[in-house]
Amino acid sequence: MLRAGAVALVLILAGHAGHAQTVAERGAYLFRAGGCFSCHTDVAHDGAALAGGRALATPFGTFYAPNITPDRETGIGAWSAADFRRALREGLSPSGAHYYPAFPYPSYTLMSDEDVAALWAYLTTLPAVRHANRPHDLTLPFRVRAAVGLWKFLFFRAGPFQPESGDSDEVSRGAYLVRALAHCGECHTPRNLLGGPDDDRFLAGTRDGPDGRSVPNITPHADTGIGGWSEGDIVQLLNSGLKPNFDNVQGSMAESVRHGLAYLSDDDLIAIARYLKAIPPIDNRIRRGP
Amino acid sequence: MRIAAIGVLSGLALSASTLVTAAMADVDSIKLRRAVMGSIATHMGALGPVAKGEVAMHDEVPWHAGSIARLSAHVVSLFPEGTGEGDTDAKPEIWKDWAKFEEAAANFEKAASALADAGGKKDQAALGAAMGEVGKTCGACHDLFRKPQQ
């Protein structure tokens, strides 16, 4: 009790002293917003944080997220800040190889230079874990890494994010969080046969999501999307994983909430909700009818 | 309109649930289960805006909360052995670990009973807290025993 009081006092004093957030602290927040933890950690097998290994089953094969701890041999400890920036902005490894877009750089490319630098600053503070990467297990033709170059030519557009003119600061912030960091579209936007996102159906959901599961339509369409949800409903889902009927979300969205979105500030979650209410509603029924 | 639909649904669920003890084809058990679960979800959805403070406390709240409590008592009976196949999200773990399933259902029943109390008092803060607790018990059971839905 006394101790809790002392801690609270220290926090208050720190607040009064105008404690400036360090770059790494900002990066820690962006790390949560970016959902890095849940793919790069094999939670199901008690894997070390960010040491890789989580399997992501897709229609194109199974991907195993790599080790992103600062281990020099098996992680990204030998990388420079420029290497990291190139990975996020261009989807290229330090040796110039194309990354598969299972690594959501088509979204992360939209991050601001400042945010990329802050995220890098944070990652360098983490403990290094020695854990070798597991190779992806892919179907042809996706096994041919050079094919990713063609994929990028067709579908990848490098960032950073540009706000839409006419959007309020709040909606722009929501757009940035949804499109760049939280990379919602990577699962919620349907893909064509080549795995390219169908931008005309942005966030309209798909029956062929990761791990063979369907992913709901989160556009504000009244019947098939979340048009009936209030801003409070969206915020509640993102910070607690509870749907408007207080049932919980499951699968990869539950992971995204638990390890990422639940850490975001109310202001940011409200910004996301306002943005999701502002995007075009798309009629695309994913759930089976009643 | 919405209230009427809820009434029909839950009426259907309740009257049908009395038939569970009679031998029923699996397909009917599954339909019934879906109807009851759907009714619970609909009542929860009706309480949600009040629990979140988006809508003022109103006279239907005790009725919705009480309905959830009454329906919660039927959950275990909705899962007779041999109803894990077909158009259902029920996982086989239910029947492999029946004691754990019963425990999860009992937790829900207890939380739903507290929800009925809070709703009966028409106390917004208590309702919000009780809804959170019920939500946890829904999730705890669904995580273990329901195929993932998103």
Side-chain angles (χ1 to χ4, degrees):
Chain A
M1 182 63 205
L2 237 175
R3 192 167 159 186
V7 170
L9 187 64
V10 166
L11 288 174
I12 290 163
L13 288 174
H16 274 285
H19 168 71
Q21 212 181 16
T22 66
V23 175
E25 281 168 355
R26 251 176 30 81
Y29 184 80
L30 297 164
F31 166 81
R32 292 301 180 179
C36 314
F37 182 93
S38 46
C39 273
H40 286 283
T41 307
D42 192 6
V43 176
H45 302 99
D46 295 324
L50 305 180
R54 187 229 196 264
L56 183 72
T58 75
F60 316 104
T62 300
F63 294 92
Y64 296 95
N67 185 339
I68 56 166
T69 73
D71 184 61
R72 290 190 71 83
E73 305 273 321
T74 61
I76 59 174
W79 288 26
S80 66
D83 288 337
F84 183 68
R85 184 176 175 281
R86 191 157 76 135
L88 265 61
R89 179 83 77 220
E90 298 171 47
L92 291 171
S93 76
S95 67
H98 293 298
Y99 284 122
Y100 286 102
F103 168 42
Y105 60 83
S107 296
Y108 293 158
T109 187
L110 297 171
M111 285 171 67
S112 67
D113 285 346
E114 202 185 1
D115 282 358
V116 171
L119 183 55
W120 174 248
Y122 171 67
L123 290 176
T124 59
T125 65
L126 297 175
V129 179
R130 193 178 174 79
H131 185 261
N133 291 328
R134 182 169 174 182
H136 303 315
D137 183 9
L138 305 179
T139 53
L140 276 170
F142 305 101
R143 214 179 292 160
V144 183
R145 206 175 262 266
V148 179
L150 177 63
W151 187 94
K152 283 164 87 172
F153 174 76
L154 291 172
F155 304 119
F156 175 71
R157 299 292 171 266
F161 172 81
Q162 302 295 337
E164 300 280 332
S165 60
D167 278 358
S168 67
D169 287 352
E170 191 177 40
V171 168
S172 292
R173 173 69 180 165
Y176 178 71
L177 288 164
V178 165
R179 297 182 53 212
L181 281 159
H183 60 279
C184 310
E186 300 290 342
C187 290
H188 284 278
T189 299
R191 292 176 186 274
N192 59 31
L193 287 175
L194 294 173
D198 179 354
D199 290 332
D200 292 337
R201 291 194 290 160
F202 179 59
L203 301 183
T206 172
R207 292 195 174 87
D208 304 310
D211 299 335
R213 289 174 194 156
S214 64
V215 183
N217 179 346
I218 55 168
T219 73
H221 190 268
D223 296 328
T224 64
I226 57 171
W229 291 34
S230 68
E231 278 172 16
D233 289 336
I234 298 172
V235 170
Q236 171 175 287
L237 185 127
L238 298 176
N239 70 17
S240 70
L242 294 175
K243 293 188 270 195
N245 64 15
F246 285 68
D247 186 11
N248 64 338
V249 286
Q250 293 181 304
S252 51
M253 189 64 195
E255 294 171 31
S256 300
V257 169
R258 188 178 308 129
H259 303 299
L261 297 165
Y263 290 83
L264 298 196
S265 68
D266 286 350
D267 282 351
D268 275 348
L269 293 180
I270 290 167
I272 290 175
R274 299 232 159 120
Y275 172 67
L276 291 178
K277 297 294 257 179
I279 62 174
I282 297 166
D283 185 355
N284 188 35
R285 187 173 296 283
I286 303 300
R287 293 179 60 114
R288 68 184 134 197
Chain B
M1 176 64 198
R2 188 166 173 190
I3 302 283
I6 294 165
V8 169
L9 251 180
S10 55
L12 179 82
L14 277 174
S15 57
S17 68
T18 57
L19 297 174
V20 166
T21 44
M24 288 173 73
D26 291 351
V27 61
D28 290 335
S29 299
I30 290 168
K31 269 192 202 162
L32 170 64
R33 191 150 78 206
R34 284 191 173 284
V36 175
M37 288 297 172
S39 301
I40 293 170
T42 309
H43 286 299
M44 289 290 285
L47 292 175
V50 183
K52 285 200 279 282
E54 294 171 348
V55 166
M57 181 58 66
H58 57 80
D59 290 344
E60 303 284 350
V61 164
W63 181 79
H64 286 300
S67 300
I68 293 164
R70 282 189 292 280
L71 290 166
S72 74
H74 294 274
V75 167
V76 169
S77 72
L78 295 170
F79 293 84
E81 191 126 20
T83 59
E85 303 283 327
D87 185 26
T88 178
D89 291 326
K91 289 210 284 204
E93 280 75 5
I94 291 172
W95 298 280
K96 282 183 206 149
D97 202 347
W98 184 254
K100 198 164 189 177
F101 176 69
E102 276 188 319
E103 188 191 328
N107 289 340
F108 169 50
E109 205 177 329
K110 203 171 147 199
S113 164
L115 177 68
D117 289 346
K121 289 184 194 128
K122 295 174 78 171
D123 175 339
Q124 194 271 335
L127 182 79
M131 286 285 281
E133 291 305 312
V134 171
K136 275 187 210 160
T137 66
C138 297
C141 193
H142 291 161
D143 283 343
L144 291 173
F145 298 116
R146 184 179 69 181
K147 288 175 195 157
Q149 301 180 323
Q150 301 231 351

